Amino acid sequence: MSERAESFPLHRREVAKTLLHARDDMLIVTGLGSTNWDFTAAGDAPRIFPLWGAMGGAVPTGLGLALAQPNKRVLVATGDGEMLMGIGSLATVAVQVPKNLAICVFDNERYGETGMQTTHTASVADLALTAQGLGIKDTGVIADEDALNADLNAITAGDGPVFRVIKVRAEPLDFVLPSKDGVHLKNRFRLDLLGSDAV
Ligand SMILES: Cc1ncc(C[n+]2csc(CCOP(=O)(O)OP(=O)(O)O)c2C)c(N)n1
């Protein structure tokens, strides 16, 4: 059971590239762990806000952003371990019903960044069912390229909140790190979104 993720067809770096380029005005919050590296590798840009810490904080950060910027599309892309740690935030997303928010969990069934220890999704935990149970109506699992393409419009433009588990291969990849300067990351994001008065 725990080895199955090593043969999932979707490669996370390709998924990140597809999501990043699907909509160039979409704001993106990435979770600590490998989604930071995936989106940096796909094309580091001011509209991407990578979280270097605060495990469990990706969805709350994306929710706050979506509520503050209702006319912008917001995507949270994070790992299954990070999502498990911040799981209660999905209940708040469900209550707030942000129309402009999509959440994609890159589920490799591993704590990738810390050495590929298996997470709960490698055995019994189902994050899409959990999100549904917490009240998010539009949930689903994407396991191959056809399903990803079929769901791209929902993720980038569908009525939110949209929640997708994307099953990605458990594979060792090179680190492609964003800047470690948190103030720089915050300021470049604010500058891009709000203009020079914001920094
Ligand atoms: C509170 C806390 N616990 C543990 C860690 C260590 N840590 C950093 S990344 C990570 C794993 C992230 O796993 P996942 O979200 O599944 O992402 P992946 O790298 O597999 O995509 C862990 C355990 C941390 N940073 N903070």
Short mmCIF file of all heavy atoms in Angstrom, two decimals, residues 12 32-35 55 79-83 85 106 108 110-114 119, ligand 1:
data_model
loop_
_atom_site.label_atom_id
_atom_site.label_comp_id
_atom_site.label_asym_id
_atom_site.label_seq_id
_atom_site.Cartn_x
_atom_site.Cartn_y
_atom_site.Cartn_z
N ARG A 12 4.75 16.11 -10.09
CA ARG A 12 4.38 17.36 -9.41
C ARG A 12 4.93 18.60 -10.11
O ARG A 12 4.27 19.64 -10.16
CB ARG A 12 4.81 17.31 -7.95
CG ARG A 12 6.28 17.00 -7.72
CD ARG A 12 6.56 16.78 -6.25
NE ARG A 12 6.01 17.86 -5.47
CZ ARG A 12 5.42 17.72 -4.27
NH1 ARG A 12 5.38 16.53 -3.69
NH2 ARG A 12 4.94 18.76 -3.65
N LEU A 32 4.83 25.20 2.86
CA LEU A 32 6.19 24.73 3.13
C LEU A 32 6.22 23.25 2.82
O LEU A 32 5.24 22.54 2.96
CB LEU A 32 6.60 25.00 4.58
CG LEU A 32 6.54 23.85 5.60
CD1 LEU A 32 7.32 24.20 6.83
CD2 LEU A 32 5.11 23.56 5.96
N GLY A 33 7.35 22.80 2.30
CA GLY A 33 7.40 21.49 1.71
C GLY A 33 7.60 21.68 0.22
O GLY A 33 7.94 22.77 -0.25
N SER A 34 7.35 20.65 -0.50
CA SER A 34 7.81 20.61 -1.89
C SER A 34 7.04 21.52 -2.84
O SER A 34 7.55 21.83 -3.92
CB SER A 34 7.75 19.17 -2.38
OG SER A 34 8.44 18.33 -1.48
N THR A 35 5.81 21.95 -2.49
CA THR A 35 5.11 22.83 -3.43
C THR A 35 5.84 24.16 -3.61
O THR A 35 5.76 24.78 -4.67
CB THR A 35 3.63 23.07 -3.04
OG1 THR A 35 3.56 23.43 -1.66
CG2 THR A 35 2.79 21.83 -3.30
N MET A 55 3.85 25.54 9.22
CA MET A 55 3.21 24.33 8.69
C MET A 55 1.74 24.31 9.12
O MET A 55 1.42 24.46 10.29
CB MET A 55 3.94 23.09 9.21
CG MET A 55 3.53 21.83 8.49
SD MET A 55 4.59 20.44 8.94
CE MET A 55 3.86 19.15 7.94
N GLY A 79 1.10 20.59 0.34
CA GLY A 79 1.29 19.14 0.44
C GLY A 79 0.27 18.49 1.36
O GLY A 79 -0.42 19.16 2.14
N ASP A 80 0.19 17.18 1.28
CA ASP A 80 -0.78 16.44 2.11
C ASP A 80 -0.42 16.54 3.60
O ASP A 80 -1.31 16.67 4.46
CB ASP A 80 -0.90 14.98 1.68
CG ASP A 80 0.43 14.30 1.45
OD1 ASP A 80 1.23 14.80 0.63
OD2 ASP A 80 0.69 13.26 2.08
N GLY A 81 0.89 16.53 3.91
CA GLY A 81 1.28 16.65 5.32
C GLY A 81 0.93 18.02 5.88
O GLY A 81 0.40 18.14 6.99
N GLU A 82 1.18 19.05 5.09
CA GLU A 82 0.88 20.41 5.49
C GLU A 82 -0.64 20.58 5.65
O GLU A 82 -1.12 21.21 6.59
CB GLU A 82 1.45 21.37 4.44
CG GLU A 82 1.77 22.77 4.94
CD GLU A 82 0.60 23.71 4.91
OE1 GLU A 82 -0.45 23.37 4.31
OE2 GLU A 82 0.70 24.79 5.49
N MET A 83 -1.38 19.98 4.73
CA MET A 83 -2.85 20.07 4.78
C MET A 83 -3.39 19.35 6.01
O MET A 83 -4.31 19.83 6.68
CB MET A 83 -3.45 19.48 3.50
CG MET A 83 -4.95 19.68 3.36
SD MET A 83 -5.40 21.40 3.04
CE MET A 83 -5.94 21.95 4.65
N MET A 85 -1.93 19.01 8.78
CA MET A 85 -1.65 19.81 9.97
C MET A 85 -2.62 20.98 10.11
O MET A 85 -2.96 21.37 11.22
CB MET A 85 -0.20 20.30 9.96
CG MET A 85 0.21 20.92 11.28
SD MET A 85 2.00 21.08 11.43
CE MET A 85 2.43 19.45 12.03
N PHE A 106 -1.19 18.69 -3.29
CA PHE A 106 -0.29 17.79 -4.03
C PHE A 106 -0.01 16.61 -3.11
O PHE A 106 0.80 16.69 -2.19
CB PHE A 106 1.02 18.50 -4.38
CG PHE A 106 0.95 19.47 -5.53
CD1 PHE A 106 -0.18 20.23 -5.77
CD2 PHE A 106 2.04 19.63 -6.38
CE1 PHE A 106 -0.24 21.13 -6.84
CE2 PHE A 106 2.00 20.52 -7.45
CZ PHE A 106 0.86 21.27 -7.68
N ASN A 108 1.45 13.32 -2.39
CA ASN A 108 2.43 12.26 -2.71
C ASN A 108 2.46 11.19 -1.61
O ASN A 108 3.32 10.32 -1.61
CB ASN A 108 3.84 12.85 -2.90
CG ASN A 108 4.36 13.54 -1.65
OD1 ASN A 108 3.62 13.72 -0.69
ND2 ASN A 108 5.63 13.92 -1.64
N ARG A 110 3.43 11.39 1.25
CA ARG A 110 4.71 11.44 1.96
C ARG A 110 4.91 12.82 2.59
O ARG A 110 4.42 13.82 2.06
CB ARG A 110 5.89 11.25 0.99
CG ARG A 110 5.89 9.97 0.19
CD ARG A 110 6.34 8.77 1.03
NE ARG A 110 6.49 7.58 0.20
CZ ARG A 110 5.47 6.82 -0.23
NH1 ARG A 110 4.22 7.12 0.10
NH2 ARG A 110 5.70 5.75 -0.97
N TYR A 111 5.72 12.86 3.66
CA TYR A 111 6.32 14.11 4.12
C TYR A 111 7.61 14.25 3.32
O TYR A 111 8.67 13.80 3.77
CB TYR A 111 6.61 14.06 5.62
CG TYR A 111 5.38 13.97 6.51
CD1 TYR A 111 5.02 12.76 7.09
CD2 TYR A 111 4.61 15.10 6.78
CE1 TYR A 111 3.91 12.68 7.92
CE2 TYR A 111 3.49 15.02 7.60
CZ TYR A 111 3.15 13.81 8.17
OH TYR A 111 2.05 13.72 8.98
N GLY A 112 7.49 14.83 2.11
CA GLY A 112 8.61 14.81 1.18
C GLY A 112 9.84 15.54 1.69
O GLY A 112 10.95 15.00 1.67
N GLU A 113 9.62 16.76 2.14
CA GLU A 113 10.77 17.61 2.47
C GLU A 113 11.61 17.03 3.60
O GLU A 113 12.82 17.26 3.67
CB GLU A 113 10.28 19.01 2.84
CG GLU A 113 11.43 19.99 2.94
CD GLU A 113 11.02 21.32 3.52
OE1 GLU A 113 9.89 21.77 3.26
OE2 GLU A 113 11.83 21.91 4.24
N THR A 114 10.98 16.28 4.48
CA THR A 114 11.73 15.80 5.65
C THR A 114 12.20 14.35 5.51
O THR A 114 12.63 13.75 6.49
CB THR A 114 10.87 15.95 6.93
OG1 THR A 114 9.59 15.41 6.67
CG2 THR A 114 10.77 17.40 7.35
N THR A 119 2.66 9.61 4.97
CA THR A 119 1.62 10.32 5.72
C THR A 119 0.39 9.42 5.84
O THR A 119 0.34 8.33 5.28
CB THR A 119 1.20 11.63 5.02
OG1 THR A 119 0.54 11.29 3.79
CG2 THR A 119 2.39 12.54 4.75
C1 LIG B 1 5.11 22.43 13.05
C2 LIG B 1 6.09 21.77 12.14
N1 LIG B 1 6.29 20.45 12.20
C3 LIG B 1 7.16 19.86 11.37
C4 LIG B 1 7.86 20.61 10.47
C5 LIG B 1 8.88 19.95 9.56
N2 LIG B 1 8.41 19.83 8.21
C6 LIG B 1 8.74 20.73 7.25
S1 LIG B 1 8.15 20.31 5.73
C7 LIG B 1 7.47 18.91 6.37
C8 LIG B 1 6.77 17.91 5.46
C9 LIG B 1 5.80 18.49 4.52
O1 LIG B 1 5.13 17.42 3.92
P1 LIG B 1 4.02 17.64 2.86
O2 LIG B 1 3.16 18.79 3.23
O3 LIG B 1 3.34 16.37 2.58
O4 LIG B 1 4.83 18.15 1.61
P2 LIG B 1 5.72 17.42 0.53
O5 LIG B 1 7.10 17.96 0.72
O6 LIG B 1 5.61 15.95 0.68
O7 LIG B 1 5.08 17.89 -0.75
C10 LIG B 1 7.68 18.78 7.73
C11 LIG B 1 7.23 17.64 8.57
C12 LIG B 1 7.62 22.00 10.42
N3 LIG B 1 8.25 22.78 9.55
N4 LIG B 1 6.73 22.55 11.27
#
